[in-house]
């Protein structure tokens, strides 16, 4: 007891002193406090007990670090955790003793907290240092989502999943949370029976303890990965093999259905591997389909890709998300952006590879429509930021702000178009594929910036072609204009994804508008009967959304009567249809829109609907829909919805108090 009090007093004194000795963000990554420039983690061992009753993860993280230079302190990132103790060991000095460490913390509303641990014994350059941090999580962690059993599809057990990208791994355990370094890891996770555990690592064993009715799962990831690829999922999970190196994990009641939808997963992996001309190194490729609250389409955790059930539509139109996550096995997981300013090296490369594989598997037209829709989304996001904002570039200046704020389609689609432009400079596509293969081979297991990519491209071109041709190609690829300059892609780039089919669906939308809702176009069958490339229907809906100023209730009602758009199960259509319906006060779609946002947690789909509600005078309705399901959403998604609905904390508190004091809650939400 006295020892704990002493530590608290020391901690208080240290924090007071930190006003004069602030912890600075990393010189290698502005989104991290970790001092990786002087000492770096290369392995860690996470040992935790998981309590669903208390919704707490408690345990320790032992980091194995190597001093890059003489160092007397270690700085880690954490968020939503309580740090209980810190101790260290420097084997060169003492092979057995653990030394209790003096530590202090610093809070940052954007980046979470910094933990500075002081080493009484200075580590010399090259020394190994073991650092043991004991901690437990709180409900403030942005990385962890706890679901009640009612929020799962099987309804039998509670559920836990994590989402670490970009900087939320620090909400699972204290560590150096930056993509600038890569580490291997081990994990020992103890859970109540009959829960099952999976991680982004190989499961080595599961040991049952009858007395405590718990099971301890042990894992090992022997390939170095950046921290954001740490992943943990616990629940009522079952697995089914698809082929010799692919499988699917989900809740038992949906396992067979999802395995059927993903029956061609192995072929997608094979085609991606062939296109990038570099072997797949990660072992078995497994997709884990999460409950509907998962906030993104997919997350490329090695050995355990997370996927939203929104991609499991029976028409197969969303399987490109699986191709995208497979491509991350090379661009992102094998070769990683060094910081979040260079995220396009992960996402732009990956989106490009995804589209080229789509072209191989489903045809050039399918891939072109994907790119056409992506281009429209990118322009919408760019307009939201402003064309002179660095967030509209491939190099967003996220210094000391959460990189979540710069998360948009710009890094995906503008990056993909840059890759398309580079490809077009080569004599043939196989030359570009050869470049990809050499690039992934050269930078395997490394974290880089676009400067290394640029140099490697130039070197490859000079080795591939004669000097005149090579210098011509290099001069045409203006990296400053493409990467660092905000706004649209450089003029004269000749990137166009329109097809005859996409133009026909855009024309159908224009014809509806021209007829004013008094009659229907003659060629509506192209929409009704389209079943091969159903994303063409999304092109139609995107066109009427883009021409919102020319739309009215009558036209929208005519379209819905003819084409049954409100009833569509394709979430890409809902993303465009429901905001338009709300803007035009098309009340027939409101109940379905409510079900849409309350049954899907994927931000891409639900945030536009909440935004439309607020912009069109339905703020109360938006709050009501959110409040009814706020425990369903992932913490990151919930926070973003609240940002849309409430302009300030004071306004939020006012709404909550108004509801608490109201005797007639229904009348509070007349809109």
């Amino acid at each position: 007891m006295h020892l704990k009090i002493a530590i608290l007093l020391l901690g208080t004194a240290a924090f007071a002193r930190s006003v004069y000795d602030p912890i600075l963000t990393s010189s290698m990554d502005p989104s991290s406090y970790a001092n990786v420039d002087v000492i770096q983690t290369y392995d860690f061992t996470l040992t935790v007990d998981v309590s669903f009753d208390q919704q707490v993860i408690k345990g320790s993280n032992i980091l194995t670090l190597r001093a890059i230079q003489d160092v007397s302190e270690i700085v880690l990132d954490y968020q939503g955790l309580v740090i209980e103790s810190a101790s260290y060991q420097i084997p060169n000095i003492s092979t057995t003793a653990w030394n209790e460490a003096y530590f202090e913390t610093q809070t940052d509303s954007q980046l979470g907290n910094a933990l500075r641990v002081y080493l009484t014994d200075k580590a010399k350059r090259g020394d190994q240092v073991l650092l043991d941090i004991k901690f437990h999580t709180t409900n403030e962690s942005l990385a962890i989502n706890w679901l009640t059993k009612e929020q799962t599809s099987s309804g039998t057990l509670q559920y836990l999943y994590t989402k670490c990208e970009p900087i939320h791994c620090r909400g699972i355990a204290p560590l150096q949370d930056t993509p600038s370094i890569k580490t291997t890891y081990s994990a020992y996770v103890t859970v109540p029976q009959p829960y099952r555990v999976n991680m982004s690592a190989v499961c080595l064993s599961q040991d049952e303890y009858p007395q405590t009715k718990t099971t301890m799962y042990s894992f090992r990831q022997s390939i170095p990965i950046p921290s954001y690829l740490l992943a943990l999922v616990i629940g009522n999970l079952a697995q089914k093999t698809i082929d010799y190196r692919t499988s699917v994990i989900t809740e038992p009641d949906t396992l067979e259905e999802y395995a059927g939808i993903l029956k061609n997963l192995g072929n997608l992996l094979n085609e991606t591997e062939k296109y990038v001309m570099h072997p797949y190194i990660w072992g078995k490729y497994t997709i884990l389909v999460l409950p509907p609250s998962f906030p993104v389409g997919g997350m490329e955790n090695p050995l355990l890709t997370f996927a939203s059930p929104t991609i499991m539509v029976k028409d197969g139109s969303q399987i490109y998300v699986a191709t995208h996550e497979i491509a991350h096995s090379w661009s992102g997981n094998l070769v990683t952006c060094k910081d979040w300013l260079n995220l396009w090296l992960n996402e732009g490369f990956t989106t490009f590879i995804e589209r080229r594989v789509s072209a191989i598997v489903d045809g050039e037209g399918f891939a072109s429509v994907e790119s056409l829709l992506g281009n429209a989304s990118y322009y919408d996001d760019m307009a939201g930021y402003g064309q002179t904002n660095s967030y509209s570039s491939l190099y967003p200046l996220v210094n000391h702000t959460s990189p979540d704020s710069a998360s948009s389609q710009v890094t995906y689609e503008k990056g993909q178009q840059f890759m398309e432009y580079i490809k077009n400079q080569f004599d043939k596509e196989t030359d570009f594929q050869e470049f990809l293969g050499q690039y992934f081979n050269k930078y395997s297991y490394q974290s880089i910036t676009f400067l290394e990519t640029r140099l490697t491209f130039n070197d490859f071109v000079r080795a591939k072609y004669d000097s005149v041709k090579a210098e011509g190609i290099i001069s045409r690829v203006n990296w400053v204009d493409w990467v660092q300059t905000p706004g649209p892609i450089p003029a004269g780039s000749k990137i166009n994804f329109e097809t005859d089919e996409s133009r026909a669906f855009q024309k159908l939308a224009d014809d509806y508008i021209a007829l004013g809702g008094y009659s229907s176009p003659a060629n509506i069958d192209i929409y009704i009967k389209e079943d091969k490339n159903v994303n063409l229907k999304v092109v139609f809906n995107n066109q009427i959304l883009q021409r919102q100023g020319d739309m009215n209730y009558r036209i929208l009602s005519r379209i819905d009567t003819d084409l049954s758009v409100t009833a569509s199960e394709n979430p890409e259509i809902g993303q465009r249809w429901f905001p338009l319906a709300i803007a035009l006060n098309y009340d027939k779609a409101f109940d379905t829109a409510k079900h849409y946002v309350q049954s899907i947690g994927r931000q891409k789909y639900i945030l536009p609907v909440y935004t439309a509600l607020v912009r069109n005078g339905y703020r109360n309705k938006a709050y009501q829909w959110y409040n009814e399901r706020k425990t369903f959403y992932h913490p990151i998604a919930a926070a973003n919805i609240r940002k849309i609905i409430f302009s300030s904390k004071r306004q939020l508190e006012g709404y909550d108090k108004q509801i608490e004091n109201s005797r007639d809650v229904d009348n509070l939400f007349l809109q």
Side-chain angles (χ1 to χ4, degrees):
M1 181 180 293
H2 296 298
L3 178 60
K4 289 184 179 179
I5 293 173
I7 291 171
L8 286 173
L9 289 172
L10 283 172
T12 302
F15 186 75
R17 193 184 71 177
S18 70
V19 173
Y20 305 99
D21 186 18
I23 305 173
L24 303 178
T25 53
S26 170
S27 62
M28 292 173 61
D29 177 1
S31 300
S32 170
Y33 279 103
N35 57 340
V36 291
D37 55 332
V38 294
I39 189 166
Q40 295 181 0
T41 308
Y42 64 88
D43 187 65
F44 64 86
T45 300
L46 190 63
T47 304
V48 294
D49 292 307
V50 180
S51 171
F52 279 92
D53 291 339
Q54 299 177 10
Q55 293 194 344
V56 168
I57 298 175
K58 180 180 176 65
S60 70
N61 192 23
I62 300 178
L63 299 97
T64 305
L65 307 99
R66 178 159 287 116
I68 307 302
Q69 59 188 54
D70 293 0
V71 61
S72 58
E73 63 185 47
I74 301 171
V75 181
L76 306 180
D77 300 297
Y78 77 100
Q79 183 273 323
L81 309 177
V82 173
I83 305 301
E84 299 174 358
S85 67
S87 57
Y88 73 92
Q89 184 182 133
I90 304 177
N92 283 354
I93 298 175
S94 171
T95 58
T96 57
W98 283 93
N99 303 287
E100 187 171 11
Y102 168 45
F103 66 89
E104 64 186 15
T105 64
Q106 177 176 292
T107 302
D108 185 326
S109 61
Q110 289 290 315
L111 304 181
N113 299 338
L115 171 66
R116 176 154 55 191
V117 179
Y118 290 94
L119 308 177
T120 305
D121 307 298
K122 179 180 286 189
K124 302 295 185 181
R125 179 180 179 182
D127 278 352
Q128 181 190 80
V129 181
L130 302 178
L131 178 62
D132 184 3
I133 308 293
K134 291 181 170 52
F135 67 95
H136 65 265
T137 65
T138 72
N139 59 8
E140 298 298 317
S141 170
L142 293 176
I144 303 170
N145 206 31
W146 303 86
L147 301 181
T148 65
K149 63 182 180 181
E150 291 78 17
Q151 291 174 305
T152 66
S153 62
S154 59
T156 57
L157 293 175
Q158 297 177 66
Y159 200 103
L160 178 153
Y161 68 88
T162 62
K163 181 187 178 297
C164 286
E165 191 181 23
I167 61 168
H168 306 302
C169 192
R170 61 196 68 177
I172 298 176
L175 36 63
Q176 294 183 313
D177 190 13
T178 168
S180 63
I181 62 168
K182 296 186 176 186
T183 75
T184 54
Y185 79 87
S186 299
Y188 301 90
V189 183
T190 300
V191 294
Q193 296 174 358
Y195 285 93
R196 294 178 62 90
V197 183
N198 287 94
M199 296 191 74
S200 54
V202 176
C203 184
L204 301 178
S205 65
Q206 54 185 85
D207 300 315
E208 296 185 358
Y209 299 95
Q211 287 185 331
T212 57
K213 296 181 180 179
T214 59
T215 304
M216 185 181 73
Y217 289 79
S218 64
F219 298 89
R220 179 63 183 168
Q221 175 54 269
S222 58
I223 299 175
I225 61 171
S227 56
Y228 71 85
L229 293 180
L230 178 69
L232 171 67
V233 62
I234 306 171
N236 180 19
L237 303 172
Q239 184 167 357
K240 184 178 178 64
T241 296
I242 298 174
D243 62 23
Y244 75 102
R245 62 174 181 173
T246 64
S247 64
V248 60
I249 297 174
T250 188
E251 294 179 73
D253 60 308
T254 55
L255 183 61
E256 293 298 328
E257 176 189 354
Y258 292 166
I261 294 173
L262 294 169
K263 62 182 182 296
N264 293 321
L265 189 61
N267 183 51
L268 296 178
L269 178 56
N270 293 338
E271 292 296 341
T272 307
E273 186 176 40
K274 283 192 290 186
Y275 187 83
V276 300
M277 294 187 175
H278 189 280
Y280 175 76
I281 66 158
W282 299 95
K284 194 158 206 175
Y285 184 85
T286 300
I287 285 188
L288 184 138
V289 185
L290 286 107
S293 60
F294 190 56
V296 296
M299 181 59 214
E300 60 271 17
N301 314 304
L303 298 170
L304 194 69
T305 284
F306 283 0
S308 164
T310 59
I311 80 168
M312 296 297 154
V313 291
K314 294 178 182 178
D315 61 20
S317 61
Q318 301 300 302
I319 296 301
Y320 69 86
V321 175
T323 312
H324 184 93
E325 306 311 332
I326 287 172
H328 267 307
S329 301
W330 290 269
S331 47
N333 297 7
L334 184 64
V335 180
T336 306
C337 61
K338 195 167 189 174
D339 53 42
W340 300 109
L341 287 72
N342 283 280
L343 177 60
W344 78 272
L345 293 179
N346 290 16
E347 299 298 353
F349 270 72
T350 295
T351 304
F352 170 83
I353 296 167
E354 164 212 324
R355 302 275 165 78
R356 297 316 302 149
V357 173
S358 289
I360 293 167
V361 175
D362 296 306
E364 290 286 352
F366 184 91
S368 293
V369 169
E370 283 186 337
S371 295
L372 183 68
L373 293 170
N375 184 65
S377 298
Y378 141 57
Y379 264 80
D380 287 344
D381 286 347
M382 187 173 60
Y385 288 132
Q387 293 194 11
T388 60
N389 190 316
S390 77
Y391 285 12
S392 293
S393 76
L394 289 179
Y395 196 76
L397 301 179
V398 295
N399 298 333
H400 212 90
T401 58
S402 171
D404 275 325
S405 63
S407 177
S408 76
Q409 291 299 303
V410 174
T411 54
Y412 295 75
E413 301 298 336
K414 193 174 184 180
Q416 182 260 336
Q417 292 179 27
F418 186 26
M419 289 296 97
E420 183 75 18
Y421 178 77
I422 290 177
K423 173 182 72 73
N424 292 343
Q425 307 311 307
F426 287 90
D427 282 351
K428 52 186 183 295
E429 187 165 358
T430 52
D431 288 353
F432 179 77
Q433 291 174 254
E434 186 182 342
F435 160 69
L436 286 178
Q438 290 192 20
Y439 169 80
F440 290 131
N441 187 62
K442 180 177 181 178
Y443 294 113
S444 290
Y445 315 109
Q446 298 181 50
S447 299
I448 64 172
T449 71
F450 81 90
L451 296 177
E452 286 96 329
T453 307
R454 177 180 180 175
L455 289 172
T456 302
F457 168 76
N458 290 348
D459 289 344
F460 178 86
V461 170
R462 288 184 174 121
K464 188 71 177 177
Y465 300 117
D466 65 71
S467 60
V468 174
K469 186 177 185 63
E471 295 309 316
I473 292 173
I474 291 169
S475 67
R476 289 196 298 273
V477 181
N478 189 322
W479 290 75
V480 172
D481 283 358
W482 271 100
V483 177
Q484 295 173 284
T485 304
I489 66 174
S493 300
K494 298 180 180 178
I495 303 292
N496 181 17
F497 300 111
E498 288 189 338
T499 66
D500 290 342
E501 291 79 9
S502 66
R503 282 188 285 268
F505 274 74
Q506 289 172 329
K507 184 179 184 303
L508 178 63
D510 293 338
D511 289 346
Y512 265 109
I513 294 171
L515 293 170
Y518 294 105
S519 60
S520 303
N523 59 334
I524 63 174
D525 278 356
I526 66 168
Y527 188 105
I528 296 170
K529 294 181 178 179
E530 178 58 59
D531 59 2
K532 183 178 180 182
N533 187 357
V534 294
N535 280 334
L536 288 167
K537 296 181 179 181
V538 184
V539 170
F540 169 89
N541 282 274
N542 200 68
Q543 182 72 358
I544 60 174
L545 179 62
Q546 293 296 319
R547 294 193 60 186
Q548 179 175 325
D550 301 319
M551 293 288 294
N552 59 40
Y553 185 105
R554 187 174 54 252
I555 299 171
L556 206 65
S557 180
R558 169 71 66 170
I559 291 172
D560 204 19
T561 299
D562 289 347
L563 309 179
S564 301
V565 183
T566 298
S568 172
E569 295 182 359
N570 188 327
E572 292 282 336
I573 290 176
Q575 177 193 355
R576 294 155 174 84
W577 177 258
F578 292 125
L580 182 58
I582 290 165
L584 298 178
N585 199 26
Y586 182 62
D587 52 317
K588 294 178 182 178
F590 274 46
D591 287 344
T592 310
K594 178 181 180 181
H595 174 75
Y596 180 82
V597 299
Q598 290 189 338
S599 61
I600 296 175
R602 189 173 170 185
Q603 296 182 99
K604 172 185 177 181
Y605 296 140
I606 61 176
L607 296 186
V609 180
Y610 278 109
T611 300
L613 287 168
V614 171
R615 287 180 177 174
N616 291 282
Y618 294 103
R619 188 185 301 271
N620 285 353
K621 190 180 291 293
Y623 181 75
Q624 182 188 35
W625 291 5
Y626 163 74
N627 199 49
E628 289 174 0
R629 291 286 278 168
K630 61 185 179 183
T631 58
F632 164 77
Y633 296 115
H634 186 279
I636 296 171
N640 285 329
I641 296 169
R642 290 162 76 89
K643 286 179 186 177
I644 291 169
I645 299 174
F646 307 110
S647 59
S648 68
K649 183 178 180 183
R650 179 176 297 177
Q651 184 181 28
L652 169 59
E653 291 171 346
Y655 267 74
D656 288 340
K657 187 173 182 180
Q658 193 177 2
I659 291 171
E660 182 181 343
N661 295 335
S662 176
R663 295 183 179 180
D664 188 356
V665 175
D666 289 338
N667 287 337
L668 185 63
F669 299 108
L670 291 177
Q671 289 185 301

